[in-house]
Amino acid sequence: MINAALVGIDFGKTDFEASLEELSLLAKSAGAHPAVTLTGRRSSPDAAMFIGSGKAEELRLACEANDIEIVIFNHALSPAQQRNLERALGRRVVDRTSLILDIFAQRARSHEGKLQVELAQLQYLATRLVRAWTHLERQKGGIGLRGPGETQLETDRRLIGERIKMLQGKLAKLRRQHGTQRRQRERTRTMSVSLVGYTNAGKSTLFNALTKAQAYAADQLFATLDTTSRRVWLGDEVGQIVLSDTVGFIRELPHQLVAAFRATLQETVQADLLLHVVDASSAVRLDQIDQVNDVLHEIGADTIRQVLVFNKIDAVPELAARGGTVERDEYGNISRVFLSARTGVGLDALRAAIAEIATAEPLAGASQPQAATDWNAVPHEPSREAEHGR
Ligand SMILES: Nc1nc2c(ncn2[C@@H]2O[C@H](COP(=O)(O)OP(=O)(O)OP(=O)(O)O)[C@@H](O)[C@H]2O)c(=O)[nH]1
Ligand SMILES: [Mg+2]
C-alpha cells in the first residue's frame, strides 16, 4: 500500500468533518494508506495552489516526514492548481474527482460498466487537455508555427474525441438492447424493485439476504458498480418481482460519472418501487438521505414510490428493539421499515411491505393515479405502526 496525505480545507460547510472521514474511506477503497491528514480554514481557494504557499510548505514537510507518495485533496482542483502543487510538493497530486474515478475503474466488471468508466475518465481528461492547450496557445501569442508539443496535444485531443464518440455509440447500442429487455419485462407485468442508497449503506448485503445470492458486499465505498437483478418469489398472491442492486451514491458525485452512468442510473428510474437503504448507524444518515434524494432528482427518479429502509439496526442500541417495525405516512402508505440485513431481523416485514405495495398500490409505470392522489381513498389512521416478523 502506498502512503497518502489527505488535505481538506474547511470553507465553513457543515459537512466538513463527515466529508473528510469519507475521503479517508475513499482513499482506503482505492488502495492507499492515509498516513497524515492536513486541514485548514480559508474563505476561498487560492487560485494558484488551492491552499496558500505557507500551507503548501507545511504539507511538503509532512510529506517528507511520513514517506508520502501521493497527496489527495478533498476538493476539485483546476488543472493549473494540480500542476503547481505537484511541482511544489514533488509528488503526485489527485483530487476527489479523480480518486472516485479511480475506484470506479478498479471496480468495473461488466462490459457496460467498463465502457462507462472509461467514458467518464476520458471526459475528465479532455477538460484538462483542452485547458493545457489554451494555456500554451496564449503563451505563443497566437503567432503561427505550431511546435511539436502542440501538434501532439492536437492529436491527443482528436484521438480522445474519437474514442469518446466510439464509447458513446457502443453504450447507446447496449442501452437499446436493455430497452428491449425492459419492454419484455413490462409486458409480463413483473414488478421491479431497486435498492438505492448511499455507498456502504448495505444494499448488496440486503440484496443477498433477500435473494440468497452472492453479490459482492464489503466495507468499501463503491463495492458495487454493476446493476445486478434477480427474481424474488413473494408468495402466491404477488408472485415474482425483479429486485436490482445498484451503484451507491456519494456527496459531490463527479458529474462526469453521473453523465457516464446516467443510463445505468436511469435503469433505476424504470423501477416501480425504490427501496432507499439507509445506514442507520451513521451519524450523518439524514445528510446521506438528502444526498441520495438529490441524485435521484437529478436523474428524474424522485417521483418513484420510495420506502426508506433503515438498515444496520443491530449496530444501533436505540433501534435494536425496532426490528421489523413498519411506519406509515398520513395516508397509511408504508414509509419506513427498520431491519438488519446482517442478522435478518425485519426481513419478513420488508417482504410483507413489498407485497402490500405490489397488491395495494398501482405501479408507477401504469397510467393510473397514485394512491396518494386518489381522493376517494379512505384515509388510514396517521402513523400507525404495524409489527411484523418478530
Ligand atoms: N452491522 C451491520 N453491518 C451491515 C449490515 N448490512 C451491511 N453491513 C455492512 O456494511 C458494509 C457495506 O455493505 P454493502 O452491502 O457492501 O453496502 P452497499 O450499500 O452495497 O455498498 P456499495 O456497493 O459500496 O455502495 C459491509 O461491511 C457489510 O457487512 C447490517 O445490517 N448490520
Ligand atoms: Mg453494494
Side-chain angles (χ1 to χ4, degrees):
M1 257 199 205
I2 61 167
N3 281 340
L6 308 183
V7 183
I9 300 301
D10 184 357
F11 294 110
K13 279 200 203 159
T14 50
D15 62 355
F16 175 68
E17 287 295 331
S19 130
L20 201 60
E21 223 168 272
E22 201 167 81
L23 184 72
S24 165
L25 278 176
L26 283 169
K28 284 185 210 154
S29 298
H33 167 66
V36 268
T37 303
L38 196 89
T39 59
R41 265 172 197 281
R42 293 186 70 90
S43 50
S44 63
D46 176 70
M49 286 202 288
F50 199 90
I51 51 177
S53 53
K55 203 75 187 171
E57 180 56 15
E58 190 186 325
L59 179 58
R60 194 184 64 79
L61 294 174
C63 288
E64 297 293 340
N66 292 281
D67 210 13
I68 298 298
E69 283 179 63
I70 189 167
V71 180
I72 304 173
F73 274 69
N74 193 24
H75 311 274
L77 297 172
S78 75
Q81 287 167 336
Q82 187 189 2
R83 238 178 304 128
N84 294 338
L85 280 164
E86 287 190 335
R87 213 168 291 149
L89 300 171
R91 283 165 178 80
R92 212 153 81 78
V93 174
V94 299
D95 65 3
R96 189 181 164 96
T97 305
S98 59
L99 180 65
I100 294 177
L101 285 172
D102 232 63
I103 297 174
F104 271 64
Q106 285 178 28
R107 295 275 192 285
R109 289 286 169 272
S110 74
H111 180 51
E112 184 173 22
K114 284 180 183 162
L115 294 179
Q116 286 169 322
V117 172
E118 190 185 344
L119 180 61
Q121 283 180 314
L122 286 177
Q123 282 166 338
Y124 176 75
L125 195 64
T127 60
R128 316 241 125 191
L129 274 189
V130 169
R131 286 188 208 157
W133 157 251
T134 44
H135 158 79
L136 276 185
E137 229 166 22
R138 225 181 307 127
Q139 272 188 343
K140 290 193 61 183
I143 305 165
L145 289 176
R146 293 174 190 280
E150 283 185 60
T151 312
Q152 189 54 48
L153 272 173
E154 263 186 336
T155 316
D156 288 353
R157 238 166 96 187
R158 181 172 50 76
L159 288 178
I160 286 181
E162 280 171 11
R163 183 128 187 107
I164 286 178
K165 274 217 189 70
M166 192 272 289
L167 289 170
Q168 285 169 334
K170 277 191 176 179
L171 283 166
K173 198 173 154 202
L174 282 173
R175 230 162 285 160
R176 281 194 294 277
Q177 290 168 358
H178 284 176
T180 319
Q181 289 163 4
R182 201 170 50 239
R183 277 191 296 280
Q184 275 162 0
R185 265 212 308 275
E186 273 161 17
R187 260 201 295 281
T188 54
R189 301 285 307 141
T190 312
M191 183 193 196
S192 60
V193 179
S194 286
L195 295 165
V196 297
Y198 211 74
T199 181
N200 218 35
K203 299 176 294 298
S204 299
T205 309
L206 181 58
F207 179 79
N208 290 339
L210 289 171
T211 62
K212 301 183 178 63
Q214 295 292 318
Y216 180 56
D219 195 8
Q220 283 173 334
L221 301 189
F222 304 114
T224 308
L225 272 201
D226 301 316
T227 306
T228 329
S229 301
R230 275 232 160 62
R231 290 174 182 280
V232 180
W233 179 255
L234 279 185
D236 288 335
E237 199 184 345
V238 181
Q240 275 185 335
I241 60 150
V242 174
L243 185 71
S244 302
D245 185 17
T246 65
V247 57
F249 301 159
I250 196 166
R251 81 193 72 224
E252 296 161 48
L253 196 62
H255 67 89
Q256 290 96 344
L257 272 178
V258 178
F261 275 78
R262 190 168 289 276
T264 305
L265 294 174
Q266 280 174 340
E267 286 279 306
T268 311
V269 180
Q270 305 299 331
D272 299 304
L273 170 66
L274 299 181
L275 298 179
H276 180 163
V277 183
V278 180
D279 178 353
S281 72
S282 165
V284 290
R285 57 183 177 270
L286 294 181
D287 187 39
Q288 296 183 339
I289 291 174
D290 287 345
Q291 304 279 345
V292 169
N293 282 331
D294 282 352
V295 180
L296 288 176
H297 176 74
E298 216 174 309
I299 58 172
D302 49 345
T303 53
I304 301 175
R305 176 78 170 92
Q306 192 188 103
V307 169
L308 284 171
V309 176
F310 274 61
N311 185 32
K312 306 197 190 182
I313 57 159
D314 59 289
V316 194
E318 308 90 85
L319 291 180
R322 302 186 68 178
T325 306
V326 173
E327 284 183 3
R328 290 167 190 273
D329 64 16
E330 68 264 44
Y331 305 102
N333 293 321
I334 293 165
S335 53
R336 298 204 291 184
V337 179
F338 292 81
L339 55 77
S340 164
R342 180 174 283 178
T343 66
V345 169
L347 288 180
D348 284 342
L350 179 62
R351 284 194 199 94
I354 300 171
E356 180 183 319
I357 291 167
T359 46
E361 296 178 24
L363 297 184
S367 52
Q368 293 164 26
Q370 292 279 311
T373 54
D374 182 358
W375 305 111
N376 297 320
V378 182
H380 294 246
E381 312 152 40
S383 35
R384 181 174 48 129
E385 290 197 350
E387 306 278 323
H388 291 282
R390 280 219 264 167

